[in-house]
Amino acid sequence: MHYGRTQMPWEITDYDLEHYPVWVRTPAHTEPVMTPLYCEFWYGYMVDGIRRGCGKNSLPTTLGYFWKLYKGHGYLTRGIPLTEEIPQREAKYREKMAEIIEDPFGYADKLFVKFDELMAPFSKMNIEQLSREELIDHIHDIIDLHIKSIAHYFDGWFAITPLPGLFQQLAGDLAGLEPTDPLYSKLTISTGNPLYQSNSGIADLARLALDLKLDKYFKLSDKDVLKALEQDEVGKKWLNSMDKFLEINKWKLLRMYEFCEPGWYDKPALLVADIKRYMEVGGVHKIDEDRDKKKEERDSLTKEFLSKIPEAQRGLMEKLLVCSRAANYWSEGSAWHGEFKRMAFGRRCFIECGKRLVQDGAIEKVDDIFMLFTDEIISTLGNREKGRYIQLINERKKEWEGYKALTQKQDEIPSFLGDPNQIPEMLRLDPTLSVSISQPKENAEKVGALCVGGAGSPGIVEGVARVIWDETHFDEIKKGEIMVCPMTSATWTPLFGIIKALVCDSGGSLSHPVIVSREYGLPAVVGTGDATQKIQTGDKLRVDGDLLRVYKIS
């Protein structure tokens, strides 16, 4: 059993392998391997929120996707409703969707307001001043925040994101438009998003540094840049602008789904790396420069596309097209309003818990707190038990490091468990799974390609590959390179402003790398399954986002 918890429903068992046709590994959200503490939040509270969100919207042929652990790594499958439940679920779903279709952006915005209301009490807290009893209360508040925030997230997710699947199906039937057609990408872009606005702010800071001729300071190491600017009168003015940016945007950790990595709120120097990257491209934020042109092209193509739809279905198709854009808006906007903040508030809480337990002698280092579960943290905070968990922490840390060592070994951690031929049917019955899953649309060897994807963003470019395994390697990426990675999440978004193209092992048509690549106008091929195994840093590639192929060239 993972981490010695004998009553853990988070693991793939023999029953799971027999009952569910296939489990698919999804590095998008769960790798690098999660710490024991965050496993509790992901495989416990997140999975519960998925079920509740799906149940509220009553998708007919799924109970939502289920996450479970196999050798420390995350795999997911479709929750299977009882056959006799489906008619009732379908009736409720049709009623719910009739409401969403009329104003999907409005539905998303109402949930963003709920996120903001949930987060507001936490943003100004000074938890260092909390008594021990108040800190224990705060842990319970953090758990409650996650449960409620996750419920809002999956309310929006299961309300809005199934609708692009319906649009894709009808677009294929009525106009012969395939989801992998470049036209689909151009029709569904939605550039207005608070996450992109945050990236625009980073570009503004980069441009300001260049305008003020402060670039010499940014040649220093990240940790020394801010110190050097503090000694310069012009630098102080720039720091004031950075402080204003952080007042709004500081709740962003290096890694989106974890507590163990620092963030802008507790390590502002992390922002310096992003600013340096934007300085390389002259402080330009591509979405801002291309927004009007892209919208004009999108609106023109929309009129042309809708003119080919039979008049009887044209009104519905126009609404579903708007819903497809709203799905992108929701996916990235919810990260900014909810995911970043709840993660940062959680880290802040548990770091303070770690400090108290180090003072007690209950644990040896502050970061050891991530090896414990919340009930253990609460118990030890209350009882002040010296040395209580030192041995257990060392055992769990060894186990955790062992799982991490398996990540790049596909023979140990396969892409799927079960029958891969069942994946298309699983995606048909739960289209929201395309946030993480797709299958290569053809055989790479037969078409002479190195890799083939299942989803992507249009365009064809050539360039040099840079393999980035996780967020700790961000500093390795260089302007104009083709990023090759297992998957991306919202914390990777600033990199899209400097790369030339993107290739991912994982991901489907609703995944972060696809959505953001389309918005930034980058060719992308995702869902290859094996790009990081076949490509090395320095390889020269041709990325064909139109055909979803990647070629290695001499």
Side-chain angles (χ1 to χ4, degrees), residues 374-418:
T374 56
D375 59 339
E376 296 165 339
I377 296 170
I378 290 168
S379 173
T380 308
L381 275 172
N383 296 329
R384 298 165 173 79
E385 298 167 322
K386 185 177 178 63
R388 178 70 172 85
Y389 286 119
I390 291 175
Q391 181 177 344
L392 178 61
I393 284 168
N394 290 334
E395 291 171 357
R396 285 183 182 164
K397 196 178 296 183
K398 184 178 179 180
E399 183 179 353
W400 179 56
E401 294 287 354
Y403 294 143
K404 289 198 292 183
L406 300 177
T407 297
Q408 298 179 29
K409 301 177 181 178
Q410 284 201 328
D411 54 337
E412 290 276 358
I413 308 295
S415 299
F416 59 86
L417 300 170

Side-chain angles (χ1 to χ4, degrees), residues 279-524:
M279 289 177 74
E280 287 189 53
V281 294
V284 172
H285 187 231
K286 200 169 187 302
I287 284 185
D288 296 335
E289 293 221 327
D290 295 348
R291 180 179 289 110
D292 292 341
K293 181 180 177 182
K294 280 191 169 187
K295 284 185 176 180
E296 184 178 337
E297 180 187 32
R298 181 193 70 185
D299 294 344
S300 175
L301 290 171
T302 297
K303 289 179 182 178
E304 183 180 342
F305 169 75
L306 291 174
S307 70
K308 299 175 182 178
I309 302 295
E311 188 173 353
Q313 286 87 24
R314 196 172 298 159
L316 173 62
M317 288 298 288
E318 185 172 10
K319 290 178 180 179
L320 289 175
L321 180 51
V322 173
C323 289
S324 297
R325 296 168 187 166
N328 300 347
Y329 176 73
W330 168 257
S331 180
E332 303 309 305
S334 59
W336 195 91
H337 284 279
E339 301 297 273
F340 287 168
K341 293 176 183 177
R342 72 177 176 87
M343 301 308 307
F345 296 152
R347 173 179 170 80
R348 183 182 61 180
C349 168
F350 294 116
I351 287 291
E352 182 61 23
C353 293
K355 291 177 181 177
R356 306 282 180 104
L357 295 188
V358 167
Q359 292 171 1
D360 293 344
I363 63 177
E364 294 180 319
K365 295 183 296 185
V366 172
D367 281 2
D368 287 347
I369 198 73
F370 304 122
M371 295 296 115
L372 300 177
F373 295 106
T374 56
D375 59 339
E376 296 165 339
I377 296 170
I378 290 168
S379 173
T380 308
L381 275 172
N383 296 329
R384 298 165 173 79
E385 298 167 322
K386 185 177 178 63
R388 178 70 172 85
Y389 286 119
I390 291 175
Q391 181 177 344
L392 178 61
I393 284 168
N394 290 334
E395 291 171 357
R396 285 183 182 164
K397 196 178 296 183
K398 184 178 179 180
E399 183 179 353
W400 179 56
E401 294 287 354
Y403 294 143
K404 289 198 292 183
L406 300 177
T407 297
Q408 298 179 29
K409 301 177 181 178
Q410 284 201 328
D411 54 337
E412 290 276 358
I413 308 295
S415 299
F416 59 86
L417 300 170
D419 182 3
N421 295 318
Q422 295 295 318
I423 293 175
E425 178 68 0
M426 183 170 72
L427 289 170
R428 185 184 71 82
L429 295 170
D430 187 348
T432 66
L433 280 164
S434 60
V435 66
S436 297
I437 300 172
S438 65
Q439 283 188 303
K441 70 171 191 174
E442 54 191 352
N443 183 283
E445 189 174 340
K446 286 184 178 179
V447 298
L450 180 65
C451 304
V452 171
S457 174
I460 303 172
V461 299
E462 294 182 0
V464 177
R466 174 73 63 176
V467 179
I468 301 292
W469 282 100
D470 58 54
E471 294 89 341
T472 62
H473 296 274
F474 281 178
D475 285 348
E476 298 171 14
I477 197 77
K478 301 292 189 297
K479 171 189 172 183
E481 291 182 324
I482 294 171
M483 185 164 69
V484 182
C485 56
M487 185 56 160
T488 69
S489 69
T491 52
W492 294 58
T493 307
L495 302 182
F496 287 68
I498 68 164
I499 61 175
K500 182 182 283 188
L502 178 65
V503 181
C504 293
D505 291 341
S506 188
S509 60
L510 290 175
S511 63
H512 177 269
V514 169
I515 291 172
V516 181
S517 292
R518 289 171 179 167
E519 308 289 326
Y520 277 80
L522 298 173

Side-chain angles (χ1 to χ4, degrees), residues 48-59 151 154-155 158-159:
D48 174 64
I50 292 170
R51 296 189 186 102
R52 292 165 63 205
C54 186
K56 180 175 181 179
N57 291 283
S58 197
L59 273 69
F154 285 107
D155 179 351
F158 286 108

Side-chain angles (χ1 to χ4, degrees), residues 57-74:
N57 291 283
S58 197
L59 273 69
T61 54
T62 182
L63 298 176
Y65 41 95
F66 288 179
W67 293 88
K68 286 205 170 188
L69 283 161
Y70 174 75
K71 294 185 179 180
H73 293 70

